Short mmCIF file of all heavy atoms in Angstrom, two decimals:
data_model
loop_
_atom_site.label_atom_id
_atom_site.label_comp_id
_atom_site.label_asym_id
_atom_site.label_seq_id
_atom_site.Cartn_x
_atom_site.Cartn_y
_atom_site.Cartn_z
N PHE A 1 -71.10 68.50 24.90
CA PHE A 1 -72.10 68.20 25.92
C PHE A 1 -73.43 67.83 25.28
O PHE A 1 -74.12 66.89 25.72
CB PHE A 1 -72.27 69.43 26.83
CG PHE A 1 -73.56 69.48 27.59
CD1 PHE A 1 -73.71 68.78 28.78
CD2 PHE A 1 -74.64 70.22 27.12
CE1 PHE A 1 -74.90 68.81 29.49
CE2 PHE A 1 -75.84 70.27 27.82
CZ PHE A 1 -75.96 69.56 29.01
N GLU A 2 -73.82 68.56 24.26
CA GLU A 2 -75.12 68.34 23.63
C GLU A 2 -75.22 66.95 23.03
O GLU A 2 -76.30 66.33 23.07
CB GLU A 2 -75.38 69.42 22.57
CG GLU A 2 -75.59 70.81 23.12
CD GLU A 2 -74.31 71.53 23.55
OE1 GLU A 2 -73.20 70.98 23.32
OE2 GLU A 2 -74.42 72.63 24.11
N ASP A 3 -74.12 66.43 22.48
CA ASP A 3 -74.12 65.07 21.94
C ASP A 3 -74.26 64.05 23.06
O ASP A 3 -74.96 63.05 22.91
CB ASP A 3 -72.83 64.82 21.15
CG ASP A 3 -72.71 65.71 19.93
OD1 ASP A 3 -73.76 66.11 19.38
OD2 ASP A 3 -71.57 66.04 19.55
N LEU A 4 -73.60 64.32 24.19
CA LEU A 4 -73.72 63.41 25.33
C LEU A 4 -75.15 63.39 25.85
O LEU A 4 -75.68 62.33 26.19
CB LEU A 4 -72.77 63.85 26.45
CG LEU A 4 -72.79 63.00 27.72
CD1 LEU A 4 -72.23 61.60 27.44
CD2 LEU A 4 -72.01 63.67 28.84
N ALA A 5 -75.79 64.55 25.90
CA ALA A 5 -77.16 64.62 26.40
C ALA A 5 -78.13 63.90 25.48
O ALA A 5 -79.06 63.23 25.95
CB ALA A 5 -77.57 66.09 26.57
N LEU A 6 -77.93 64.01 24.17
CA LEU A 6 -78.85 63.41 23.20
C LEU A 6 -78.53 61.94 22.93
O LEU A 6 -79.45 61.12 22.76
CB LEU A 6 -78.81 64.18 21.89
CG LEU A 6 -79.46 65.57 21.88
CD1 LEU A 6 -79.19 66.27 20.57
CD2 LEU A 6 -80.97 65.46 22.13
N HIS A 7 -77.26 61.61 22.88
CA HIS A 7 -76.84 60.25 22.50
C HIS A 7 -75.77 59.74 23.47
O HIS A 7 -74.61 59.53 23.06
CB HIS A 7 -76.31 60.23 21.07
CG HIS A 7 -77.24 60.82 20.07
ND1 HIS A 7 -78.43 60.22 19.70
CD2 HIS A 7 -77.18 61.99 19.36
CE1 HIS A 7 -79.05 60.97 18.80
NE2 HIS A 7 -78.32 62.05 18.58
N PRO A 8 -76.11 59.53 24.73
CA PRO A 8 -75.08 59.17 25.72
C PRO A 8 -74.35 57.88 25.39
O PRO A 8 -73.12 57.80 25.56
CB PRO A 8 -75.86 59.07 27.03
CG PRO A 8 -77.29 58.89 26.62
CD PRO A 8 -77.45 59.63 25.34
N GLU A 9 -75.06 56.88 24.91
CA GLU A 9 -74.38 55.61 24.63
C GLU A 9 -73.40 55.76 23.48
O GLU A 9 -72.29 55.22 23.52
CB GLU A 9 -75.41 54.53 24.32
CG GLU A 9 -74.79 53.15 24.22
CD GLU A 9 -75.85 52.06 24.19
OE1 GLU A 9 -76.77 52.16 23.34
OE2 GLU A 9 -75.76 51.13 25.00
N ARG A 10 -73.78 56.53 22.48
CA ARG A 10 -72.89 56.74 21.33
C ARG A 10 -71.61 57.46 21.76
O ARG A 10 -70.50 57.08 21.35
CB ARG A 10 -73.63 57.56 20.26
CG ARG A 10 -72.90 57.70 18.94
CD ARG A 10 -73.68 58.59 17.99
NE ARG A 10 -75.05 58.10 17.79
CZ ARG A 10 -75.98 58.79 17.13
NH1 ARG A 10 -75.71 59.99 16.64
NH2 ARG A 10 -77.19 58.29 16.98
N VAL A 11 -71.74 58.49 22.59
CA VAL A 11 -70.57 59.22 23.07
C VAL A 11 -69.73 58.33 23.98
O VAL A 11 -68.49 58.35 23.92
CB VAL A 11 -71.00 60.51 23.78
CG1 VAL A 11 -69.80 61.18 24.46
CG2 VAL A 11 -71.66 61.46 22.81
N LEU A 12 -70.38 57.54 24.82
CA LEU A 12 -69.64 56.63 25.69
C LEU A 12 -68.83 55.64 24.87
O LEU A 12 -67.65 55.37 25.17
CB LEU A 12 -70.59 55.89 26.62
CG LEU A 12 -69.96 54.86 27.54
CD1 LEU A 12 -68.92 55.49 28.46
CD2 LEU A 12 -71.02 54.15 28.38
N HIS A 13 -69.42 55.09 23.81
CA HIS A 13 -68.69 54.16 22.96
C HIS A 13 -67.47 54.84 22.31
O HIS A 13 -66.41 54.22 22.15
CB HIS A 13 -69.61 53.60 21.88
CG HIS A 13 -70.62 52.64 22.41
ND1 HIS A 13 -71.67 52.16 21.65
CD2 HIS A 13 -70.76 52.07 23.64
CE1 HIS A 13 -72.39 51.33 22.38
NE2 HIS A 13 -71.86 51.27 23.59
N ARG A 14 -67.62 56.10 21.97
CA ARG A 14 -66.49 56.83 21.40
C ARG A 14 -65.37 56.97 22.43
O ARG A 14 -64.19 56.83 22.12
CB ARG A 14 -66.95 58.21 20.93
CG ARG A 14 -65.91 58.98 20.14
CD ARG A 14 -66.46 60.27 19.59
NE ARG A 14 -65.41 61.10 19.03
CZ ARG A 14 -65.58 62.36 18.66
NH1 ARG A 14 -66.78 62.92 18.77
NH2 ARG A 14 -64.58 63.05 18.15
N CYS A 15 -65.74 57.23 23.68
CA CYS A 15 -64.75 57.32 24.76
C CYS A 15 -64.06 55.97 24.99
O CYS A 15 -62.84 55.92 25.20
CB CYS A 15 -65.41 57.79 26.05
SG CYS A 15 -65.96 59.50 26.02
N LEU A 16 -64.84 54.91 24.97
CA LEU A 16 -64.25 53.58 25.19
C LEU A 16 -63.25 53.25 24.09
O LEU A 16 -62.18 52.68 24.36
CB LEU A 16 -65.36 52.52 25.24
CG LEU A 16 -66.35 52.62 26.41
CD1 LEU A 16 -67.39 51.52 26.32
CD2 LEU A 16 -65.62 52.56 27.74
N ALA A 17 -63.56 53.60 22.85
CA ALA A 17 -62.62 53.37 21.75
C ALA A 17 -61.34 54.19 21.98
O ALA A 17 -60.23 53.69 21.74
CB ALA A 17 -63.27 53.74 20.43
N PHE A 18 -61.48 55.41 22.42
CA PHE A 18 -60.33 56.27 22.71
C PHE A 18 -59.45 55.67 23.80
O PHE A 18 -58.22 55.80 23.77
CB PHE A 18 -60.86 57.66 23.12
CG PHE A 18 -59.83 58.63 23.60
CD1 PHE A 18 -58.83 59.11 22.75
CD2 PHE A 18 -59.85 59.08 24.92
CE1 PHE A 18 -57.89 60.02 23.21
CE2 PHE A 18 -58.91 59.99 25.38
CZ PHE A 18 -57.93 60.46 24.52
N LEU A 19 -60.08 54.99 24.77
CA LEU A 19 -59.37 54.41 25.90
C LEU A 19 -58.97 52.95 25.67
O LEU A 19 -58.45 52.30 26.58
CB LEU A 19 -60.23 54.51 27.16
CG LEU A 19 -60.63 55.93 27.59
CD1 LEU A 19 -61.59 55.87 28.77
CD2 LEU A 19 -59.41 56.77 27.92
N ASP A 20 -59.26 52.44 24.46
CA ASP A 20 -58.96 51.04 24.13
C ASP A 20 -59.68 50.07 25.07
O ASP A 20 -59.11 49.05 25.49
CB ASP A 20 -57.45 50.77 24.17
CG ASP A 20 -56.69 51.59 23.13
OD1 ASP A 20 -57.20 51.74 22.01
OD2 ASP A 20 -55.60 52.09 23.45
N LEU A 21 -60.92 50.37 25.38
CA LEU A 21 -61.75 49.50 26.20
C LEU A 21 -62.85 48.88 25.34
O LEU A 21 -63.42 49.55 24.47
CB LEU A 21 -62.38 50.28 27.36
CG LEU A 21 -61.43 50.81 28.43
CD1 LEU A 21 -62.19 51.68 29.42
CD2 LEU A 21 -60.73 49.67 29.15
N GLU A 22 -63.16 47.63 25.61
CA GLU A 22 -64.18 46.93 24.83
C GLU A 22 -65.58 47.31 25.30
O GLU A 22 -65.83 47.50 26.48
CB GLU A 22 -63.98 45.42 24.95
CG GLU A 22 -64.19 44.85 26.36
CD GLU A 22 -63.06 45.16 27.33
OE1 GLU A 22 -61.99 45.62 26.87
OE2 GLU A 22 -63.26 44.96 28.54
N ARG A 23 -66.51 47.44 24.36
CA ARG A 23 -67.90 47.75 24.71
C ARG A 23 -68.54 46.62 25.48
O ARG A 23 -69.45 46.83 26.28
CB ARG A 23 -68.72 47.99 23.44
CG ARG A 23 -68.30 49.18 22.62
CD ARG A 23 -69.26 49.34 21.46
NE ARG A 23 -68.80 50.33 20.50
CZ ARG A 23 -69.49 50.66 19.40
NH1 ARG A 23 -70.65 50.07 19.15
NH2 ARG A 23 -69.01 51.57 18.56
N GLU A 24 -68.09 45.41 25.25
CA GLU A 24 -68.75 44.24 25.82
C GLU A 24 -68.70 44.25 27.35
O GLU A 24 -69.46 43.55 28.00
CB GLU A 24 -68.11 42.96 25.29
CG GLU A 24 -68.38 42.66 23.83
CD GLU A 24 -67.65 43.60 22.87
OE1 GLU A 24 -66.62 44.21 23.27
OE2 GLU A 24 -68.11 43.75 21.72
N GLY A 25 -67.83 45.06 27.92
CA GLY A 25 -67.75 45.09 29.37
C GLY A 25 -68.88 45.86 30.04
O GLY A 25 -69.07 45.77 31.26
N LEU A 26 -69.66 46.61 29.26
CA LEU A 26 -70.74 47.41 29.84
C LEU A 26 -71.91 46.51 30.25
O LEU A 26 -72.25 45.55 29.55
CB LEU A 26 -71.23 48.44 28.83
CG LEU A 26 -70.25 49.55 28.46
CD1 LEU A 26 -70.80 50.37 27.31
CD2 LEU A 26 -69.99 50.45 29.66
N PRO A 27 -72.57 46.83 31.35
CA PRO A 27 -73.76 46.06 31.75
C PRO A 27 -74.85 46.15 30.68
O PRO A 27 -75.05 47.20 30.08
CB PRO A 27 -74.20 46.73 33.05
CG PRO A 27 -73.02 47.50 33.52
CD PRO A 27 -72.25 47.89 32.31
N ALA A 28 -75.53 45.05 30.48
CA ALA A 28 -76.61 45.03 29.49
C ALA A 28 -77.80 45.86 29.98
O ALA A 28 -78.12 45.87 31.16
CB ALA A 28 -77.05 43.58 29.23
N GLY A 29 -78.42 46.57 29.05
CA GLY A 29 -79.64 47.31 29.37
C GLY A 29 -79.44 48.48 30.31
O GLY A 29 -80.38 48.90 30.98
N ARG A 30 -78.25 49.03 30.39
CA ARG A 30 -78.00 50.12 31.33
C ARG A 30 -78.69 51.40 30.88
O ARG A 30 -78.96 51.61 29.70
CB ARG A 30 -76.50 50.37 31.49
CG ARG A 30 -75.82 50.92 30.25
CD ARG A 30 -74.38 51.28 30.52
NE ARG A 30 -74.27 52.28 31.57
CZ ARG A 30 -73.12 52.80 31.97
NH1 ARG A 30 -71.99 52.41 31.43
NH2 ARG A 30 -73.08 53.71 32.92
N SER A 31 -78.99 52.25 31.86
CA SER A 31 -79.61 53.55 31.56
C SER A 31 -78.56 54.64 31.72
O SER A 31 -77.49 54.42 32.28
CB SER A 31 -80.79 53.80 32.49
OG SER A 31 -80.37 53.80 33.84
N TYR A 32 -78.89 55.83 31.25
CA TYR A 32 -77.95 56.94 31.25
C TYR A 32 -78.61 58.19 31.85
O TYR A 32 -78.88 59.16 31.13
CB TYR A 32 -77.45 57.22 29.84
CG TYR A 32 -76.66 56.07 29.25
CD1 TYR A 32 -77.30 55.07 28.50
CD2 TYR A 32 -75.30 55.97 29.46
CE1 TYR A 32 -76.58 54.01 27.98
CE2 TYR A 32 -74.56 54.91 28.93
CZ TYR A 32 -75.21 53.94 28.19
OH TYR A 32 -74.49 52.88 27.69
N PRO A 33 -78.86 58.19 33.14
CA PRO A 33 -79.47 59.38 33.75
C PRO A 33 -78.49 60.54 33.78
O PRO A 33 -77.28 60.35 33.88
CB PRO A 33 -79.80 58.90 35.18
CG PRO A 33 -78.79 57.82 35.45
CD PRO A 33 -78.58 57.13 34.13
N ALA A 34 -79.03 61.75 33.69
CA ALA A 34 -78.18 62.94 33.80
C ALA A 34 -77.81 63.16 35.26
O ALA A 34 -78.64 63.02 36.15
CB ALA A 34 -78.91 64.16 33.25
N HIS A 35 -76.55 63.49 35.51
CA HIS A 35 -76.05 63.71 36.86
C HIS A 35 -75.76 65.20 37.07
O HIS A 35 -75.45 65.93 36.14
CB HIS A 35 -74.78 62.91 37.11
CG HIS A 35 -74.98 61.42 37.10
ND1 HIS A 35 -75.00 60.67 38.25
CD2 HIS A 35 -75.19 60.55 36.08
CE1 HIS A 35 -75.19 59.40 37.95
NE2 HIS A 35 -75.31 59.30 36.63
N ASN A 36 -75.85 65.61 38.34
CA ASN A 36 -75.50 66.98 38.73
C ASN A 36 -76.29 68.01 37.92
O ASN A 36 -75.76 69.02 37.46
CB ASN A 36 -74.00 67.23 38.56
CG ASN A 36 -73.51 68.46 39.28
OD1 ASN A 36 -74.11 68.88 40.28
ND2 ASN A 36 -72.45 69.07 38.78
N VAL A 37 -77.58 67.74 37.77
CA VAL A 37 -78.45 68.65 37.01
C VAL A 37 -78.76 69.87 37.87
O VAL A 37 -79.06 69.75 39.06
CB VAL A 37 -79.75 67.94 36.60
CG1 VAL A 37 -80.67 68.89 35.86
CG2 VAL A 37 -79.43 66.73 35.75
N GLY A 38 -78.68 71.05 37.28
CA GLY A 38 -78.97 72.27 38.02
C GLY A 38 -80.42 72.34 38.47
O GLY A 38 -81.32 71.85 37.78
N VAL A 39 -80.63 72.92 39.63
CA VAL A 39 -81.98 73.03 40.17
C VAL A 39 -82.48 74.47 40.19
O VAL A 39 -83.68 74.71 40.31
CB VAL A 39 -82.06 72.45 41.60
CG1 VAL A 39 -81.79 70.96 41.57
CG2 VAL A 39 -81.08 73.15 42.54
N ALA A 40 -81.58 75.44 40.09
CA ALA A 40 -82.00 76.83 40.11
C ALA A 40 -82.71 77.19 38.81
O ALA A 40 -82.33 76.72 37.73
CB ALA A 40 -80.79 77.75 40.31
N PRO A 41 -83.75 78.02 38.87
CA PRO A 41 -84.47 78.39 37.64
C PRO A 41 -83.60 79.25 36.73
O PRO A 41 -82.75 80.02 37.20
CB PRO A 41 -85.67 79.18 38.17
CG PRO A 41 -85.24 79.69 39.50
CD PRO A 41 -84.33 78.64 40.06
N SER A 42 -83.81 79.10 35.43
CA SER A 42 -83.05 79.90 34.48
C SER A 42 -83.61 81.32 34.42
O SER A 42 -84.79 81.54 34.64
CB SER A 42 -83.12 79.26 33.08
OG SER A 42 -84.45 79.17 32.64
N GLN A 43 -82.73 82.27 34.16
CA GLN A 43 -83.14 83.66 34.02
C GLN A 43 -82.94 84.08 32.57
O GLN A 43 -81.82 84.03 32.06
CB GLN A 43 -82.29 84.57 34.92
CG GLN A 43 -82.41 84.29 36.40
CD GLN A 43 -81.56 85.24 37.21
OE1 GLN A 43 -81.40 86.42 36.86
NE2 GLN A 43 -81.00 84.76 38.32
N PRO A 44 -84.00 84.47 31.88
CA PRO A 44 -83.83 84.92 30.50
C PRO A 44 -83.00 86.19 30.45
O PRO A 44 -83.05 87.03 31.35
CB PRO A 44 -85.28 85.17 30.02
CG PRO A 44 -86.05 85.40 31.28
CD PRO A 44 -85.41 84.56 32.34
N ILE A 45 -82.19 86.32 29.41
CA ILE A 45 -81.40 87.53 29.24
C ILE A 45 -81.81 88.24 27.96
O ILE A 45 -82.42 87.65 27.06
CB ILE A 45 -79.89 87.22 29.23
CG1 ILE A 45 -79.52 86.35 28.03
CG2 ILE A 45 -79.46 86.57 30.52
CD1 ILE A 45 -78.01 86.25 27.81
#
């Protein structure tokens, strides 16, 4: 997860290689917003 958060495009390219999909199919200049981000405050333990 941490690699995806820091380097989403790099991890995505690794997935595409695993799935035998070409990178060229991705839209140019795309962004990588985080999805399903938690909204509840963290509680220190």
Side-chain angles (χ1 to χ4, degrees):
F1 159 83
E2 291 77 6
D3 296 332
L4 179 68
L6 288 173
H7 307 290
E9 188 169 53
R10 188 183 304 171
V11 172
L12 177 60
H13 288 171
R14 188 175 171 190
C15 291
L16 295 179
F18 173 66
L19 301 175
D20 297 321
L21 293 174
E22 65 286 348
R23 296 184 190 181
E24 290 71 22
L26 293 172
R30 67 174 301 182
S31 60
Y32 297 90
H35 294 256
N36 196 27
V37 178
V39 295
S42 60
Q43 298 181 35
I45 63 169

